[in-house]
Amino acid sequence: MIPQRPILGVLMLETRFPRIPGDVGNPKTYPFPVILKKIKGANLKTVVIKTEPSLLESFIQGAKELEQEGVKAITTSCGFTVLFQDEMAKAVKIPVFTSSLIMIPMIFKMLMGRIGIITANSLNLSKSHLKAAGVLNIPTAIKGLEDKSEFKRVILEDSPNGDMQKIEAEVVQASRELLEEYPDVKGIVLECHNLPPYREKIKRETKLPIFDFISLTKFVYSAVRSLGDEP
């Protein structure tokens, strides 16, 4: 039976681009109830282009509000918010997982080899982000989507209309380019929380295990789904 109380709270960026099933911001992505809460002032410029430290308090306040609304775990709609991971987790009493990047240390332990990262924008995925995720001492290979025309126009430039099939083809092409440059990659993490709709195509193209926001959500869900419920 699907639980009626919200399981997950998602702190959202203020965006206009399409949220197709599988995207972090589409409620149909989840097999359980979710609450989507937009953070004022959090957008592609203030989070992806440059993660503004001043937004931390807004994300913490949003997390506290979601906790009061009864969710059992909290995430965000953008992997770049990993910079806020520790402070947000300390601020509430329920699990917080800001970014799929925090899976990388565990994945490295499983695969013991280079981990590929496909990100919305490799130019802005800094050492600070990797450090916050605990990734600095792990061999990685990063491929960005900032040079893919439709992804850039729709996601990075926040267009309300887009050709999602073209974006899928661009994401698959990026995974191909990643392996051409780094053939020793043993698994791929999708940093961008808009990429899970394309996971299966990437998996077929690369023949590698693919980890994303949905992988992490299912992991957390299995840990918290019955906490606090009456038997």
Side-chain angles (χ1 to χ4, degrees):
M1 180 180 294
I2 297 177
Q4 296 304 306
R5 283 191 268 179
I7 298 292
L8 181 67
V10 186
L11 297 173
M12 299 285 296
L13 272 58
E14 297 179 316
T15 58
R16 302 181 303 160
F17 58 75
R19 299 281 188 177
I20 64 176
D23 184 283
V24 61
N26 187 323
K28 294 182 180 180
T29 295
Y30 310 93
F32 47 77
V34 299
I35 297 176
L36 306 179
K37 181 183 292 291
K38 288 188 177 181
I39 299 297
K40 187 175 181 179
N43 53 54
L44 294 160
K45 290 183 179 179
T46 60
V47 176
V48 177
I49 303 303
K50 180 183 179 182
T51 307
E52 294 290 346
S54 60
L55 286 173
L56 173 59
E57 289 305 316
S58 296
F59 274 91
I60 287 176
Q61 181 59 35
K64 290 179 176 179
E65 291 172 1
L66 287 173
E67 184 177 35
Q68 292 172 357
E69 292 180 60
V71 304
K72 296 178 180 178
I74 296 168
T75 189
T76 81
S77 66
C78 179
F80 278 71
T81 60
V82 70
L83 289 177
F84 301 154
Q85 172 66 42
D86 290 354
E87 290 85 352
M88 286 176 61
K90 291 174 183 176
V92 296
K93 297 179 181 178
I94 56 177
V96 173
F97 56 110
T98 56
S99 174
S100 55
L101 294 175
I102 68 174
M103 291 189 290
I104 293 177
M106 179 180 68
I107 296 167
F108 175 70
K109 286 290 186 181
M110 290 191 288
L111 300 177
M112 293 308 296
R114 188 183 301 277
I115 307 301
I117 301 171
I118 297 180
T119 177
N121 193 329
S122 63
L123 301 177
N124 299 317
L125 187 65
S126 68
K127 287 186 178 180
S128 295
H129 294 93
L130 299 180
K131 181 179 179 180
V135 178
L136 276 184
N137 295 321
I138 293 174
T140 59
I142 299 173
K143 177 62 182 177
L145 296 166
E146 66 275 0
D147 62 344
K148 304 303 181 188
S149 60
E150 189 69 0
F151 184 90
K152 179 180 179 181
R153 184 185 72 82
V154 177
I155 305 299
L156 296 180
E157 297 178 356
D158 199 21
S159 170
N161 301 297
D163 185 336
M164 310 316 284
Q165 289 186 330
K166 185 173 182 180
I167 289 178
E168 180 179 68
E170 290 177 342
V171 174
V172 171
Q173 176 62 27
S175 69
R176 187 181 303 119
E177 292 168 356
L178 175 69
L179 293 188
E180 288 172 355
E181 187 172 357
Y182 296 94
D184 60 337
V185 163
K186 298 188 72 173
I188 296 175
V189 173
L190 307 181
E191 168 276 320
C192 180
H193 292 184
N194 311 120
L195 298 185
Y198 318 120
R199 176 184 60 240
E200 294 306 313
K201 286 287 184 69
I202 298 170
K203 190 185 300 181
R204 286 197 290 272
E205 175 68 26
T206 64
K207 297 179 173 56
L208 291 173
I210 308 298
F211 302 87
D212 61 10
F213 161 77
I214 300 301
S215 309
L216 185 51
T217 299
K218 290 179 178 178
F219 176 78
V220 175
Y221 172 69
S222 68
V224 304
R225 63 179 179 175
S226 298
L227 290 179
D229 289 343
E230 295 296 328

